[in-house]
Amino acid sequence: SYMTAWLKCHYPAEFMSAFMSAHIKEKAKLAEFVDDCGAIGLKVSGIDINESEGKMTPVRKTAPDSPDIVFGLEGLNGISGKLSAVIVAYRQRHGRFASLDDFMRNAPDGLVNAATLVTLAKVGAFDGLGVNRRALATSSAEVVAFYKDVSRNATRGQRSIFDVMGSNDHDVYQFPGIEDWSFIDKLKMEKAIAGPYVSARPLQNVGRGMSYLRAASHIPIITAADLSRATGPGTFRPPAFLTCP
């Protein structure tokens, strides 16, 4: 209709956010819609525990590379509307999560389990907090058990020596020192869980390289003869690394 076309033309981020939110559990359609966003110049960001809301959200662009739309938590397999609402409500009351430790300490009992952490880890929801995706995904059960003990001890009023000393380093889960997944492996996991690629695209660097090659193809080649004519006969000497032995 005319109104639909008008909205898409004048408010593209708002229009596409609402459209994608209406199909947020349909992975194949979401992938198509994200491609459509790119075709009209809209950037859809990846999942971020401090930025994502339940649905797709239009945001004001603050820089050329900043997103127009933030991907919603409910677009992930295994993330309920109840959990996303709790996360958003907490941020509205207390501000952004400072760390994974902060998130786990304030997550309601029973809402964040090992499977939930694996899902959030694999799509990079904690990347902004400096969390290694692979380390969190492979240690998710241990992380949940660790913070259950922390919560249980706090309820019982038990305090460690670090509490008495006023240290901020107490009761923080220590991840194993393992290498994170490769760029391509991360993208494969994102697509499996969210539908579209959310943090990047597999061939984006290839595309950037091709644009450089296209630009370079228009640069005129300057020969030794050209330089000799410009500087005078016999004055140009090529560098040693350009000469044959």
Side-chain angles (χ1 to χ4, degrees):
S1 68
Y2 171 80
M3 182 57 69
T4 299
W6 186 88
L7 288 171
K8 187 174 182 180
C9 177
H10 295 280
Y11 298 94
E14 290 80 1
F15 176 85
M16 291 303 296
S17 293
F19 200 59
M20 288 191 290
S21 292
H23 300 275
I24 200 164
K25 292 298 184 183
E26 301 174 61
K27 306 304 177 190
K29 286 188 176 182
L30 276 186
E32 294 178 8
F33 297 154
V34 169
D35 287 341
D36 291 343
C37 285
I40 60 175
L42 295 178
K43 181 177 180 180
V44 181
S45 78
I47 306 295
D48 188 319
I49 202 67
N50 276 322
E51 299 290 344
S52 296
E53 298 192 8
K55 305 295 185 181
M56 307 297 182
T57 311
V59 292
R60 177 174 296 180
K61 204 171 185 70
T62 57
D65 289 336
S66 65
D68 300 281
I69 299 171
V70 177
F71 202 95
L73 291 166
E74 292 178 37
L76 306 177
N77 290 334
I79 302 299
S80 67
K82 183 177 181 181
L83 174 58
S84 63
V86 168
I87 292 172
V88 173
Y90 178 87
R91 292 199 319 246
Q92 291 173 343
R93 290 195 304 268
H94 305 286
R96 299 163 66 88
F97 295 106
S99 61
L100 177 66
D101 177 72
D102 185 23
F103 174 80
M104 292 302 299
R105 285 175 180 275
N106 293 287
D109 290 339
L111 278 185
V112 177
N113 54 33
T116 300
L117 281 185
V118 170
T119 295
L120 293 173
K122 286 184 174 181
V123 296
F126 298 104
D127 284 3
L129 300 178
V131 176
N132 179 314
R133 295 190 190 188
R134 185 182 178 191
L136 176 56
T138 56
S139 305
S140 59
E142 290 83 356
V143 171
V144 170
F146 179 89
Y147 284 100
K148 279 186 177 179
D149 286 342
V150 169
S151 177
R152 189 179 302 115
N153 291 338
T155 302
R156 293 173 180 171
Q158 296 180 4
R159 300 201 305 165
S160 70
I161 188 173
F162 297 105
D163 293 312
V164 176
M165 296 173 63
S167 171
N168 291 324
D169 298 326
H170 64 290
D171 295 335
V172 176
Y173 183 82
Q174 300 299 318
F175 286 100
I178 60 176
E179 186 177 354
D180 208 343
W181 287 306
S182 69
F183 173 74
I184 294 299
D185 284 340
K186 288 179 180 179
L187 294 186
K188 288 179 179 177
M189 293 175 196
E190 290 178 9
K191 185 169 181 60
I193 294 172
Y197 300 107
V198 290
S199 66
R201 303 190 70 79
L203 299 179
Q204 68 175 26
N205 291 333
V206 174
R208 188 176 300 129
M210 292 300 294
S211 67
Y212 291 151
L213 288 175
R214 284 195 297 270
S217 68
H218 297 291
I219 300 175
I221 298 175
I222 301 176
T223 65
D226 294 328
L227 288 172
S228 293
R229 284 194 295 271
T231 59
T235 59
F236 171 72
R237 293 291 184 273
F241 65 86
L242 292 180
T243 60
C244 297

